[in-house]
Amino acid sequence: IAYNAKNIEAIRLLGHAYISVDSIPQARTVLQTSLSLFPDDYLAIELMGEVFFRERSYDSAAKYFKQSTAMRINFSKGYLNYGVTLFNQKKYKEAITQFENTIRYADSPEANYYTFIVKCYHALKQYQQGIDVASKALGIDPNHAETYKMLAVIYDEMGNATQAQAMYMRYVEITG
């Protein structure tokens, strides 16, 4: 990828390439340059959030992801990354809101978006809500292994060993 200070996409793609090969210091440098030249580039802002996320600097990552979604209200990837960051910060209720925004703005919602919400409800010990959301995930993908695994955990913690075992067996069946 050629570095061209006048080409916003080239700079952003270079930053993304560095992130994808875990060259985080180089990604940071390129994206800082990008943002100094193009401060309103919500995609570069989101990528800077990914840099901080990879460094486990979740407060900074959250700031950038939140900024990217404020700049582009229908930016589902930004909401998804913001939600994952909040989940890692154990801010489960806030994470649910971001995952719901991810679903709202996604061109085609994926089962794993719902499963993130299931994980939040599990962490909050709001098991029935988790089960209800899991049914939405399985409505999209009836073979979504991670959803079955979460259901097994939830049913086990609810004391329903029969359902827990059934969900775990389905998980094993799917994953081989």
Side-chain angles (χ1 to χ4, degrees):
I1 300 171
Y3 180 80
N4 178 348
K6 295 183 181 186
N7 185 332
I8 189 171
E9 188 172 355
I11 299 172
R12 187 181 334 110
L13 287 173
L14 182 59
H16 184 267
Y18 278 129
I19 290 170
S20 68
V21 297
D22 288 324
S23 295
I24 301 305
Q26 293 89 340
R28 178 192 303 276
T29 299
V30 169
L31 292 168
Q32 285 173 334
T33 299
S34 177
L35 290 172
S36 71
L37 296 169
F38 308 104
D40 295 330
D41 181 10
Y42 74 95
L43 292 170
I45 290 167
E46 187 269 338
L47 286 171
M48 187 61 88
E50 287 188 41
V51 165
F52 284 108
F53 185 88
R54 297 267 182 121
E55 295 175 333
R56 291 176 167 55
S57 182
Y58 297 129
D59 288 339
S60 295
K63 179 185 122 197
Y64 279 96
F65 292 139
K66 183 177 183 178
Q67 184 181 355
S68 74
T69 60
M71 294 177 82
R72 180 78 181 252
I73 193 73
N74 63 346
F75 185 37
S76 65
K77 182 181 178 193
Y79 290 113
L80 177 63
N81 288 333
Y82 189 23
V84 171
T85 302
L86 292 167
F87 182 86
N88 284 332
Q89 292 177 300
K90 301 184 185 328
K91 297 178 180 179
Y92 304 116
K93 289 181 182 179
E94 293 174 55
I96 290 169
T97 300
Q98 300 314 313
F99 293 133
E100 288 171 342
N101 286 333
T102 302
I103 293 163
R104 179 178 302 116
Y105 295 114
D107 291 334
S108 179
E110 299 175 16
N112 67 311
Y113 301 165
Y114 289 97
T115 304
F116 284 126
I117 297 173
V118 173
K119 290 178 179 184
C120 290
Y121 281 129
H122 168 257
L124 293 167
K125 300 196 182 310
Q126 295 177 357
Y127 300 129
Q128 189 56 54
Q129 291 94 324
I131 292 168
D132 294 344
V133 173
S135 69
K136 293 178 183 178
L138 295 174
I140 293 171
D141 180 359
N143 294 314
H144 195 256
E146 187 69 18
T147 302
Y148 285 106
K149 184 170 76 173
M150 286 307 305
L151 283 169
V153 170
I154 288 171
Y155 282 122
D156 183 60
E157 291 181 15
M158 291 175 71
N160 188 335
T162 303
Q163 276 295 90
Q165 183 178 13
M167 295 299 112
Y168 185 71
M169 293 306 291
R170 182 70 179 121
Y171 167 77
V172 169
E173 181 183 315
I174 293 167
T175 60

